[in-house]
């Protein structure tokens, strides 16, 4: 700990500016200006330099790595699929949910897709929101309201709402997947142009 502080001070602006001023004091000593008081002159110039040094730049914030965020979302997706396996849904909604979870699994599958997705903060947020909020809320709302609609006939069945919600989420996921495909295609085209330009 003390060693790292010492090393940090050696690399600091205060020490660098003070050292440059101290070197100026040594130059004055060799020029014969400082006389017998040269140690005081060198130390004084070093101290003055350290005092007038510009302030240290604050360190950059340590943001989480996007791929680490995707690892957390992947773990949450596994918990979500375990939850969904225990929920009984009508066939149409179950089919929609299967399509959606298949799409989310493909988006979170390690490989080029997640590499491209990690570079898209809005995409990471959309997948995270779908896994952690949208899908569980839609299914849980259906499970809770299904019982009540039996007591209040004449209302639109909750499975229709669930099907619509899952369809909208699937469409959003497809748009994200198409955007990622376009990004990857542009990257490949750019690399091809780079290789072609290098040959000329």
């Amino acid at each position: 700990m003390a060693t790292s502080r010492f090393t940090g001070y050696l690399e600091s602006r205060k020490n660098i500016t003070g050292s440059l001023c101290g070197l100026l004091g040594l130059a004055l000593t060799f020029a014969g200006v400082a006389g017998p008081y040269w140690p005081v002159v060198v130390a004084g110039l070093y101290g003055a330099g350290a005092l007038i040094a510009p302030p240290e730049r604050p360190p950059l914030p340590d943001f989480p790595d996007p791929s680490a965020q995707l690892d957390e979302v992947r773990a949450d997706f596994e918990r979500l699929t375990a939850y969904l396996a225990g929920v009984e849904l009508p066939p149409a909604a179950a089919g929609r949910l299967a399509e959606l979870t298949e799409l989310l699994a493909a988006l979170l599958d390690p490989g080029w897709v997640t590499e491209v997705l990690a570079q898209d903060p809005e995409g990471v947020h959309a997948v995270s929101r779908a896994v952690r909020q949208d899908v569980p809320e839609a299914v849980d709302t259906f499970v809770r309201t299904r019982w009540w609609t039996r007591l209040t006939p004449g209302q639109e069945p909750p499975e229709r709402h669930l099907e619509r919600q899952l369809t909208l989420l699937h469409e959003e996921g497809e748009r994200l997947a198409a955007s990622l495909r376009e990004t990857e295609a542009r990257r490949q085209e750019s690399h091809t142009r780079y290789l072609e330009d290098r040959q000329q």
Side-chain angles (χ1 to χ4, degrees):
M1 183 70 115
T3 308
S4 66
R5 275 195 200 140
F6 178 70
T7 308
Y9 180 74
L10 286 178
E11 297 171 350
S12 71
R13 293 179 179 193
K14 286 183 178 296
N15 184 48
I16 292 170
T17 308
S19 298
L20 289 174
C21 290
L23 286 173
L24 176 65
L26 284 175
L28 291 173
T29 299
F30 290 127
V33 176
Y37 302 107
W38 70 268
V40 175
V41 171
V42 171
L45 285 172
Y46 175 86
L51 286 174
I52 63 168
E56 294 294 325
R57 285 193 312 264
L60 284 171
D62 188 20
F63 294 116
D65 182 19
S67 57
Q69 278 183 292
L70 284 174
D71 289 340
E72 292 173 12
V73 176
R74 201 174 287 119
D76 290 342
F77 179 67
E78 288 177 14
R79 284 198 290 277
L80 175 64
T81 50
Y83 161 74
L84 295 174
V87 176
E88 192 177 324
L89 299 175
R96 281 278 170 214
L97 183 61
E99 290 172 4
L100 177 59
T101 53
E102 191 177 312
L103 178 59
L104 290 171
L107 287 170
L108 290 169
D109 189 36
W112 74 266
V113 177
T114 48
E115 287 175 18
V116 178
L117 180 59
Q119 305 305 316
D120 181 6
E122 289 180 14
V124 172
H125 176 69
V127 173
S128 172
R129 187 184 60 221
V131 168
R132 293 174 172 161
Q133 181 180 344
D134 295 337
V135 175
E137 271 187 23
V139 173
D140 184 58
T141 302
F142 166 76
V143 171
R144 282 186 286 117
T145 57
R146 177 175 52 181
W147 187 83
W148 288 106
T149 53
R150 291 181 190 150
L151 300 177
T152 54
Q155 289 188 343
E156 190 173 15
E159 53 264 24
R160 290 222 185 101
H161 288 290
L162 178 61
E163 285 171 39
R164 260 187 264 149
Q165 291 167 9
L166 295 174
T167 300
L168 291 169
L169 289 170
H170 189 268
E171 288 171 359
E172 184 180 2
E174 282 184 328
R175 283 193 298 273
L176 175 59
S179 169
L180 295 177
R181 279 192 296 270
E182 286 174 20
T183 301
E184 180 61 14
R186 281 196 302 271
R187 195 166 73 173
Q188 287 180 342
E189 286 171 16
S190 173
H191 189 63
T192 302
R193 279 196 301 274
Y194 162 73
L195 292 174
E196 287 171 348
D197 292 343
R198 207 169 66 178
Q199 293 298 321
Q200 294 172 356

